[in-house]
Amino acid sequence: MAILLLAEHDNHSLSEQTAKALSAAHEIDDDIDILVCGYKAQGVATSAARLRGVRTVFLAEADYLEHQLAEAVSATILTFGKAYDTFMAAATANGKNILPRVAAQLDVMQISDIIGIQSKDTFMRPIYAGNAIETVRSKDTKKVITVRSSAFLAMGEGGSAKIETIEPASDPQLTTFLNETREINERPELTSARIIVSGGRAFASQEQFMSLLVPLAKQLNAAIGASRAAVDAGYAPNDWQVGQTGKIVAPELYFALGISGAIQHLAGMSDSKIIIAINKDREAPIMQIADYALEGDIFELIPLLQKALSQ
Amino acid sequence: MKVLVGIKRVVDYNIKIRVKQDQSGVELDNVKMSMNPFDEIALEEAVRQKEAGKIEEIIAVSIGPQAAQETLRTALAMGADRAILIKSDEVNEPLCIAKALKKIVEKEHVNMVFLGKQAIDDDCNQTAQMLAALLNWSQGTFASHLKLESQSAEITREIDGGLQTLSVKLPAVMSVDLRLNEPRYASLPNIMKAKRKPIEEMELAQLGIDTSRRLEVLKVEKPSPRKAGQKVQTVDELVDHLKAAHLL
């Protein structure tokens, strides 16, 4: 009985999502190994080994693993991981891409996006964009699980697991990486930020979105989010999107500015501890769920908010 | 090139769902059903590629109750050439759906499968990846751009840090994201024409695959409601509240 947890990383640093998935794993079993698949990712393995409650960190490195393509990573998980009975990853773009491929090859159903653990085989997960919570019991002998990391606290450091290098599976040669464009983001990472300021369609242009939200975010040391409407209108890059089809967040403070609160958006942020909404429309759904709702024009109120915060 | 597009009939995305009193699931009786929005985008992409001369035939396939036939008619009206309905009155899991789709892929000798990245009811985000695994094909998930060649496809994917472009060897499975395209409305003449397009029907039970559920649903509940908040009149009042609660 042991769990193999796939590390979320970019070859340079280990994402905090791994520490959160690790604490979910601890609610299932104590024997947890972490697998790092990548290229020149020694530093990632070192960080993973420092997390509390990790038995061994296994490092599989190859040039064809650099971009963690699903075909190559799942092949390595399957050849290396035969003895494990549970496979886990954070429900990130990578986790979602890779783990179902592992599940199908093991002939088991994946349990996606768990937010709660009742026992070794019983899990809670949101369905219908978070409008219902389903409790499922897995009848499969092996389990493949992705973790909604915003539902778990990050496991702290203080461990000293050993690191072992393993031979990755050979390159399946099904896909080739061509290129990647990453948004340069000086703000804290959206999924782990303590404070998020999020903007919607009411900003009306990319210039206004950036000129109003960025200074406010800087002042609060907050990450910046956006509604789907704002992203689709081109005001914000798509990896800022909070919602069912974007990122799922649960910060301590969530500022929803000029966001109406469509179901698809609420699914991504309604677990925030405190929600603050500023909106012209007092009937907007976001105003009904906000802890503090302020009716008014964002163009007037955001500068006032900045002034009040600096006092 | 011949492609298969997977279509799921789900509760319309505008509907506020209700959880059943006995916690056995979500109320589906007398609720408006539509094509899963991500599947509409997958189909639209196939139709556009056909219009660009890259695809010869589009087969829409759905696994579900007899009523899923209506959803397939919509797919035919949007531009699919023919449809296959695999009848099943149970709720089937992604693993089962992927196995059923594999049977159709093998029977129809398709070069590519287009699927939505997730269904808006079970929110699993699994079927495409599972199908690719079962076929041992390459996968291009969460696609926001597709450039189709004869032997490969260039797929731009939405990833957490931005966008990633892959060259995917065909045959392949692609799952689509919302930004890939804007689906068209079926015109009345096309809806009329769709009535004459064929829908082949078969029973899921006859495909010879394991359809048993692996995840037993113990209960379905409403999420715990947030307690009502308060209205504040001014920015200063808001900041005072936040400071008093030691949040700033």
Side-chain angles (χ1 to χ4, degrees), chain A residues 53-67:
Chain A
V54 179
R55 207 169 53 175
T56 309
V57 174
F58 293 98
L59 175 61
E61 288 188 289
D63 52 2
Y64 54 82
L65 283 176
E66 182 176 0
H67 301 286

PDB file of all heavy atoms in Angstrom, chain A residues 53-67:
ATOM      1  N   GLY A  53       6.922  14.367   5.513  1.00  0.00           N
ATOM      2  CA  GLY A  53       6.126  13.161   5.296  1.00  0.00           C
ATOM      3  C   GLY A  53       6.302  12.511   3.944  1.00  0.00           C
ATOM      4  O   GLY A  53       5.412  11.803   3.476  1.00  0.00           O
ATOM      5  N   VAL A  54       7.435  12.766   3.304  1.00  0.00           N
ATOM      6  CA  VAL A  54       7.706  12.102   2.028  1.00  0.00           C
ATOM      7  C   VAL A  54       8.721  10.990   2.288  1.00  0.00           C
ATOM      8  O   VAL A  54       9.711  11.201   2.989  1.00  0.00           O
ATOM      9  CB  VAL A  54       8.274  13.090   0.987  1.00  0.00           C
ATOM     10  CG1 VAL A  54       8.578  12.374  -0.323  1.00  0.00           C
ATOM     11  CG2 VAL A  54       7.310  14.232   0.771  1.00  0.00           C
ATOM     12  N   ARG A  55       8.486   9.802   1.733  1.00  0.00           N
ATOM     13  CA  ARG A  55       9.383   8.679   1.968  1.00  0.00           C
ATOM     14  C   ARG A  55      10.602   8.781   1.050  1.00  0.00           C
ATOM     15  O   ARG A  55      11.726   8.905   1.488  1.00  0.00           O
ATOM     16  CB  ARG A  55       8.601   7.385   1.704  1.00  0.00           C
ATOM     17  CG  ARG A  55       9.085   6.179   2.447  1.00  0.00           C
ATOM     18  CD  ARG A  55       8.097   5.034   2.325  1.00  0.00           C
ATOM     19  NE  ARG A  55       7.743   4.729   0.931  1.00  0.00           N
ATOM     20  CZ  ARG A  55       6.973   3.702   0.577  1.00  0.00           C
ATOM     21  NH1 ARG A  55       6.482   2.882   1.496  1.00  0.00           N
ATOM     22  NH2 ARG A  55       6.679   3.483  -0.688  1.00  0.00           N
ATOM     23  N   THR A  56      10.348   8.775  -0.251  1.00  0.00           N
ATOM     24  CA  THR A  56      11.442   8.865  -1.223  1.00  0.00           C
ATOM     25  C   THR A  56      11.007   9.741  -2.384  1.00  0.00           C
ATOM     26  O   THR A  56       9.838   9.720  -2.768  1.00  0.00           O
ATOM     27  CB  THR A  56      11.803   7.463  -1.783  1.00  0.00           C
ATOM     28  OG1 THR A  56      12.008   6.576  -0.699  1.00  0.00           O
ATOM     29  CG2 THR A  56      13.039   7.508  -2.651  1.00  0.00           C
ATOM     30  N   VAL A  57      11.948  10.506  -2.903  1.00  0.00           N
ATOM     31  CA  VAL A  57      11.675  11.265  -4.127  1.00  0.00           C
ATOM     32  C   VAL A  57      12.387  10.553  -5.272  1.00  0.00           C
ATOM     33  O   VAL A  57      13.600  10.290  -5.193  1.00  0.00           O
ATOM     34  CB  VAL A  57      12.173  12.721  -4.007  1.00  0.00           C
ATOM     35  CG1 VAL A  57      12.025  13.451  -5.341  1.00  0.00           C
ATOM     36  CG2 VAL A  57      11.412  13.457  -2.913  1.00  0.00           C
ATOM     37  N   PHE A  58      11.658  10.192  -6.301  1.00  0.00           N
ATOM     38  CA  PHE A  58      12.248   9.557  -7.472  1.00  0.00           C
ATOM     39  C   PHE A  58      12.340  10.584  -8.593  1.00  0.00           C
ATOM     40  O   PHE A  58      11.373  11.287  -8.884  1.00  0.00           O
ATOM     41  CB  PHE A  58      11.413   8.350  -7.912  1.00  0.00           C
ATOM     42  CG  PHE A  58      11.451   7.227  -6.906  1.00  0.00           C
ATOM     43  CD1 PHE A  58      10.418   7.063  -5.992  1.00  0.00           C
ATOM     44  CD2 PHE A  58      12.543   6.373  -6.857  1.00  0.00           C
ATOM     45  CE1 PHE A  58      10.468   6.048  -5.042  1.00  0.00           C
ATOM     46  CE2 PHE A  58      12.605   5.351  -5.915  1.00  0.00           C
ATOM     47  CZ  PHE A  58      11.564   5.183  -5.004  1.00  0.00           C
ATOM     48  N   LEU A  59      13.504  10.659  -9.194  1.00  0.00           N
ATOM     49  CA  LEU A  59      13.745  11.665 -10.229  1.00  0.00           C
ATOM     50  C   LEU A  59      13.994  10.958 -11.557  1.00  0.00           C
ATOM     51  O   LEU A  59      14.931  10.161 -11.687  1.00  0.00           O
ATOM     52  CB  LEU A  59      14.958  12.517  -9.823  1.00  0.00           C
ATOM     53  CG  LEU A  59      15.459  13.543 -10.825  1.00  0.00           C
ATOM     54  CD1 LEU A  59      14.394  14.579 -11.143  1.00  0.00           C
ATOM     55  CD2 LEU A  59      16.717  14.237 -10.302  1.00  0.00           C
ATOM     56  N   ALA A  60      13.113  11.217 -12.527  1.00  0.00           N
ATOM     57  CA  ALA A  60      13.275  10.660 -13.873  1.00  0.00           C
ATOM     58  C   ALA A  60      13.579  11.815 -14.810  1.00  0.00           C
ATOM     59  O   ALA A  60      12.772  12.738 -14.944  1.00  0.00           O
ATOM     60  CB  ALA A  60      11.993   9.947 -14.307  1.00  0.00           C
ATOM     61  N   GLU A  61      14.769  11.786 -15.416  1.00  0.00           N
ATOM     62  CA  GLU A  61      15.143  12.906 -16.268  1.00  0.00           C
ATOM     63  C   GLU A  61      15.474  12.439 -17.684  1.00  0.00           C
ATOM     64  O   GLU A  61      16.134  11.403 -17.874  1.00  0.00           O
ATOM     65  CB  GLU A  61      16.369  13.619 -15.690  1.00  0.00           C
ATOM     66  CG  GLU A  61      16.047  14.403 -14.433  1.00  0.00           C
ATOM     67  CD  GLU A  61      17.218  15.247 -13.993  1.00  0.00           C
ATOM     68  OE1 GLU A  61      18.210  14.668 -13.519  1.00  0.00           O
ATOM     69  OE2 GLU A  61      17.132  16.470 -14.144  1.00  0.00           O
ATOM     70  N   ALA A  62      14.990  13.193 -18.659  1.00  0.00           N
ATOM     71  CA  ALA A  62      15.328  12.947 -20.066  1.00  0.00           C
ATOM     72  C   ALA A  62      14.946  14.189 -20.846  1.00  0.00           C
ATOM     73  O   ALA A  62      14.056  14.935 -20.417  1.00  0.00           O
ATOM     74  CB  ALA A  62      14.543  11.751 -20.602  1.00  0.00           C
ATOM     75  N   ASP A  63      15.619  14.420 -21.973  1.00  0.00           N
ATOM     76  CA  ASP A  63      15.272  15.629 -22.740  1.00  0.00           C
ATOM     77  C   ASP A  63      13.813  15.579 -23.208  1.00  0.00           C
ATOM     78  O   ASP A  63      13.128  16.580 -23.228  1.00  0.00           O
ATOM     79  CB  ASP A  63      16.248  15.860 -23.905  1.00  0.00           C
ATOM     80  CG  ASP A  63      16.416  14.639 -24.783  1.00  0.00           C
ATOM     81  OD1 ASP A  63      15.747  13.606 -24.522  1.00  0.00           O
ATOM     82  OD2 ASP A  63      17.219  14.700 -25.742  1.00  0.00           O
ATOM     83  N   TYR A  64      13.319  14.364 -23.508  1.00  0.00           N
ATOM     84  CA  TYR A  64      11.921  14.278 -23.961  1.00  0.00           C
ATOM     85  C   TYR A  64      10.920  14.400 -22.814  1.00  0.00           C
ATOM     86  O   TYR A  64       9.718  14.403 -23.035  1.00  0.00           O
ATOM     87  CB  TYR A  64      11.678  12.994 -24.769  1.00  0.00           C
ATOM     88  CG  TYR A  64      12.068  11.713 -24.073  1.00  0.00           C
ATOM     89  CD1 TYR A  64      11.225  11.097 -23.161  1.00  0.00           C
ATOM     90  CD2 TYR A  64      13.304  11.123 -24.332  1.00  0.00           C
ATOM     91  CE1 TYR A  64      11.588   9.935 -22.519  1.00  0.00           C
ATOM     92  CE2 TYR A  64      13.682   9.960 -23.696  1.00  0.00           C
ATOM     93  CZ  TYR A  64      12.829   9.371 -22.792  1.00  0.00           C
ATOM     94  OH  TYR A  64      13.198   8.219 -22.158  1.00  0.00           O
ATOM     95  N   LEU A  65      11.416  14.507 -21.588  1.00  0.00           N
ATOM     96  CA  LEU A  65      10.498  14.743 -20.453  1.00  0.00           C
ATOM     97  C   LEU A  65      10.454  16.217 -20.062  1.00  0.00           C
ATOM     98  O   LEU A  65       9.723  16.609 -19.166  1.00  0.00           O
ATOM     99  CB  LEU A  65      10.928  13.915 -19.235  1.00  0.00           C
ATOM    100  CG  LEU A  65      10.591  12.426 -19.264  1.00  0.00           C
ATOM    101  CD1 LEU A  65      11.166  11.736 -18.039  1.00  0.00           C
ATOM    102  CD2 LEU A  65       9.091  12.196 -19.336  1.00  0.00           C
ATOM    103  N   GLU A  66      11.245  17.034 -20.764  1.00  0.00           N
ATOM    104  CA  GLU A  66      11.374  18.431 -20.360  1.00  0.00           C
ATOM    105  C   GLU A  66      10.014  19.129 -20.247  1.00  0.00           C
ATOM    106  O   GLU A  66       9.771  19.881 -19.320  1.00  0.00           O
ATOM    107  CB  GLU A  66      12.280  19.199 -21.338  1.00  0.00           C
ATOM    108  CG  GLU A  66      12.468  20.641 -20.901  1.00  0.00           C
ATOM    109  CD  GLU A  66      13.432  21.421 -21.783  1.00  0.00           C
ATOM    110  OE1 GLU A  66      13.968  20.840 -22.755  1.00  0.00           O
ATOM    111  OE2 GLU A  66      13.628  22.611 -21.502  1.00  0.00           O
ATOM    112  N   HIS A  67       9.136  18.879 -21.216  1.00  0.00           N
ATOM    113  CA  HIS A  67       7.851  19.575 -21.216  1.00  0.00           C
ATOM    114  C   HIS A  67       6.730  18.721 -20.649  1.00  0.00           C
ATOM    115  O   HIS A  67       5.559  19.062 -20.770  1.00  0.00           O
ATOM    116  CB  HIS A  67       7.541  20.079 -22.618  1.00  0.00           C
ATOM    117  CG  HIS A  67       8.607  21.001 -23.121  1.00  0.00           C
ATOM    118  ND1 HIS A  67       8.738  22.283 -22.659  1.00  0.00           N
ATOM    119  CD2 HIS A  67       9.644  20.789 -23.968  1.00  0.00           C
ATOM    120  CE1 HIS A  67       9.794  22.841 -23.222  1.00  0.00           C
ATOM    121  NE2 HIS A  67      10.370  21.964 -24.018  1.00  0.00           N
TER     122      HIS A  67
END
